[in-house]
Structure formats: structure tokens, C-alpha cells
Amino acid sequence: MSGCARSDFQKQIDGFGLTTAEILYRMPDHPGLLQSYVWQDYDRCPEYPVLRGFLDWWRREIEGVLHSVRVGHKALIGPADFKPVRAEFRLN
């Protein structure tokens, strides 16, 4: 298992879920036109610290003025979904 995959799995165990955000924004040279950007990462609902950090970066670094953000979130692993293995059977 690669380090990245284990990191994603660990995030899921720690309560993070897959978060997708559709960001609508306006560029200064075409203010009448809304453009769309789709962002996706593991984040924790309902605070969304990773998404909030990305949006703070956007406001500082990108000239496109944010219009709206629509968020979808799915917890991929929950407490009832992850169960320890109690036995292992091997067949030859």
C-alpha cells in the first residue's frame, strides 16, 4: 500500500469524508460571465477546514471573485462500516 493511499484511508478513519465543491466565480475581464471550478478533497463535515483553507487561498491569490460555493459531502467509512477481523481461514 502506498503512503498516499494509507494517508487517505487514515483520514477516512479519522472522520474525514470526500467533499466536492462547485465554485462559481467571475473574472475581472468578464464580470457578466459566471465560470465554474470543481474542487475535491477529504474534509471534515460540517466545519470543512480544508475547503475553508482553499477558499481563503483563492481570495488572496486568484483574481476571480467568488460568487457562490455548493458543497457535497460523503463519509466513505463510518463507525459501523469498519469492523476488526475476528478470524482468518485459509484454504489450500
Side-chain angles (χ1 to χ4, degrees), residues 27-62:
M27 290 301 289
D29 51 346
H30 297 287
L33 179 67
L34 279 177
Q35 298 186 57
S36 177
Y37 179 82
V38 176
W39 173 92
Q40 193 171 59
D41 204 343
Y42 290 99
D43 210 347
R44 190 179 294 240
C45 177
E47 297 85 16
Y48 300 110
V50 179
L51 176 59
R52 288 179 185 272
F54 176 76
L55 294 174
D56 289 343
W57 173 84
W58 181 293
R59 288 183 192 104
R60 283 190 319 272
E61 304 293 331
I62 305 294

Side-chain angles (χ1 to χ4, degrees), residues 1-10:
M1 184 185 297
S2 71
C4 182
R6 184 175 34 221
S7 175
D8 290 346
F9 180 72
Q10 185 61 45

